[in-house]
Amino acid sequence: MHDFFGDLILIDARYDCYLLWSKGASMPLRIVVLFVVAPLFLLVGYFAYSEIAKQRALHMRSGHTAQTAREDSAISDMIHELQRERGFSVGYVSSDGLSFPDELTQQRDRTDQTIASALSGIDLIAVDHREEFDRVVACLQTLTRVRQRIDGWDENGQRIIEEVINSYTRLIDPLLALAQASTGSDRSTEYHALRQARFLISSAKEKAGLERATGAAGVVMVYSLSMQEELTSLRREQLATLSEVDAIKGSSAWLPTLQRTRQYVALDDLHEIILSADATTDSLPFTRTQWFAASTAWIDLLRQEEAAVTAELVFLASQLEQETASQLTELIWFSVFAAFTAAAFVVVALK
């Protein structure tokens, strides 16, 4: 009997110990959740934050790229309008004020509007290339004096024509230098290669502008041998620059196609007449208006090619900006969903 009751007491004591142990067994589980699951949750959160930060930086860079593309376009617009004004100015002066008076007035207003709009919107390039940008601003401030000089000219025609050409060229060269500094030399991606192509087309267009101005002056004066050589050099430099665009595009068909256009052929025919003319002749079988029209048509064609590349650049930059923005948004929403899911798991596990 004594052994029986003793065994009951022993069993009851063991049962009480079991109950105490089972009640206390849930405490280590909560500690496991807090010290194992929670740190894992924090680690996942850290990696999510890191990825969001990287994606945000990528989005900011793509926005910088898109803005730079637009600012590059603004620089091209300034160059183009100054080139047009130079052409009208040379035509005006070389005709003793009879040609292009109204066109010159309208072009000056257009140039002023383009410069004001462009300079107010060039922020990133101005910061990244402060020295070149400041030089541009300083040079453009002399534009009023250049115009006053043209309006009040009273000297030998040839001398004032050369002065007009040189004055506008001194305005355009700093803009080309700013465009070149902004473009750089990187051709590793389609976007950067297109930037190179646009700058080269812009450079060729500047040579075409000088060609127009030089030729307009030559139609009035006697075509000297030095002027023939200068026109030949300008034409050769244009073709050399444009052939680089072919190389960038990875095709040898772009420039030959350009050379088959009526704009190129018409101007090339006038070049042949000039080169075959006697340097002592008093006149040429075409007028200043014909030369100006042919050279302007060629410049406008180059401007179209430049604008097409610019549009493609802006599209690529905007597309990249949109894609990175979409990826950033998706990553943020995924991270938020993962955070709520992990938080819900922890709450359930702690109950």
Side-chain angles (χ1 to χ4, degrees):
M1 182 66 68
H2 179 270
D3 291 339
F4 174 73
F5 283 108
D7 290 339
L8 286 178
I9 294 172
L10 181 59
I11 292 172
D12 184 63
R14 290 177 177 175
Y15 180 71
D16 289 341
C17 290
Y18 169 77
L19 290 178
L20 290 173
W21 176 83
S22 62
K23 290 180 179 180
S26 61
M27 293 300 296
L29 180 60
R30 290 190 178 94
I31 294 175
V32 169
V33 171
L34 290 175
F35 287 96
V36 177
V37 178
L40 289 176
F41 168 65
L42 294 175
L43 185 62
V44 171
Y46 168 78
F47 283 116
Y49 173 80
S50 178
E51 286 301 314
I52 290 175
K54 291 178 182 178
Q55 191 62 39
R56 183 173 179 274
L58 182 61
H59 176 58
M60 292 179 65
R61 286 197 298 271
S62 65
H64 186 287
T65 298
Q67 179 63 25
T68 301
R70 290 187 287 268
E71 292 183 11
D72 280 338
S73 178
I75 295 173
S76 297
D77 291 342
M78 285 192 289
I79 293 173
H80 182 69
E81 299 306 331
L82 284 169
Q83 289 169 336
R84 285 177 57 86
E85 184 172 329
R86 177 179 57 193
F88 284 126
S89 297
V90 170
Y92 175 79
V93 171
S94 63
S95 65
D96 294 334
L98 298 178
S99 298
F100 311 120
D102 295 333
E103 291 88 343
L104 180 56
T105 300
Q106 295 171 2
Q107 181 57 47
R108 286 177 176 179
D109 291 338
R110 184 183 178 93
T111 301
D112 289 340
Q113 293 173 7
T114 300
I115 290 174
S117 175
L119 291 181
S120 64
I122 297 178
D123 299 320
L124 297 178
I125 293 178
V127 172
D128 295 339
H129 308 282
R130 173 56 61 182
E131 183 178 348
E132 290 86 353
F133 180 78
D134 289 344
R135 188 178 299 114
V136 164
V137 174
C139 288
L140 291 177
Q141 289 173 347
T142 67
L143 180 57
T144 300
R145 292 199 298 273
V146 172
R147 290 170 175 173
Q148 291 173 345
R149 182 81 175 92
I150 292 171
D151 293 340
W153 61 272
D154 57 0
E155 297 181 15
N156 176 271
Q158 183 63 34
R159 180 176 176 182
I160 187 63
I161 289 172
E162 292 175 355
E163 183 180 331
V164 170
I165 294 174
N166 294 333
S167 296
Y168 278 98
T169 301
R170 283 193 294 268
L171 296 174
I172 294 171
D173 283 347
L175 282 165
L176 286 171
L178 178 61
Q180 185 175 25
S182 173
T183 301
S185 58
D186 183 13
R187 300 182 183 180
S188 59
T189 65
E190 180 183 5
Y191 173 79
H192 290 96
L194 283 173
R195 291 189 74 190
Q196 287 288 324
R198 179 177 61 182
F199 173 74
L200 290 169
I201 294 173
S202 182
S203 299
K205 190 160 66 68
E206 169 57 10
K207 298 299 181 183
L210 289 172
E211 176 185 56
R212 175 174 59 184
T214 302
V219 173
V220 179
M221 307 300 168
V222 175
Y223 263 101
S224 64
L225 182 60
S226 62
M227 187 169 290
Q228 291 176 332
E229 292 175 349
E230 184 176 358
L231 286 174
T232 301
S233 175
L234 288 169
R235 173 51 51 115
R236 186 185 303 113
E237 289 172 2
Q238 288 178 62
L239 295 178
T241 302
L242 294 174
S243 66
E244 291 187 54
V245 179
D246 255 353
I248 291 176
K249 287 177 172 291
S251 169
S252 59
W254 180 77
L255 180 55
T257 300
L258 211 60
Q259 290 176 291
R260 288 193 295 269
T261 61
R262 59 177 178 80
Q263 293 93 330
Y264 181 89
V265 172
L267 184 59
D268 201 50
D269 288 343
L270 297 185
H271 264 275
E272 291 299 323
I273 294 174
I274 292 172
L275 294 179
S276 61
D278 189 340
T280 61
T281 187
D282 294 327
S283 63
L284 288 168
F286 58 87
T287 65
R288 179 196 311 108
T289 302
Q290 290 174 311
W291 169 265
F292 198 87
S295 56
T296 298
W298 167 241
I299 292 172
D300 288 343
L301 179 60
L302 291 178
R303 174 63 172 173
Q304 292 175 15
E305 295 295 326
E306 181 186 39
V309 175
T310 296
E312 191 172 357
L313 275 170
V314 172
F315 173 77
L316 286 175
S318 299
Q319 187 179 46
L320 177 62
E321 187 178 23
Q322 293 173 2
E323 288 177 356
T324 55
S326 177
Q327 292 171 358
L328 178 61
T329 301
E330 291 177 0
L331 182 59
I332 290 174
W333 279 113
F334 176 79
S335 299
V336 169
F337 173 77
F340 274 111
T341 302
F345 173 78
V346 171
V347 170
V348 170
L350 290 175
K351 287 185 178 180

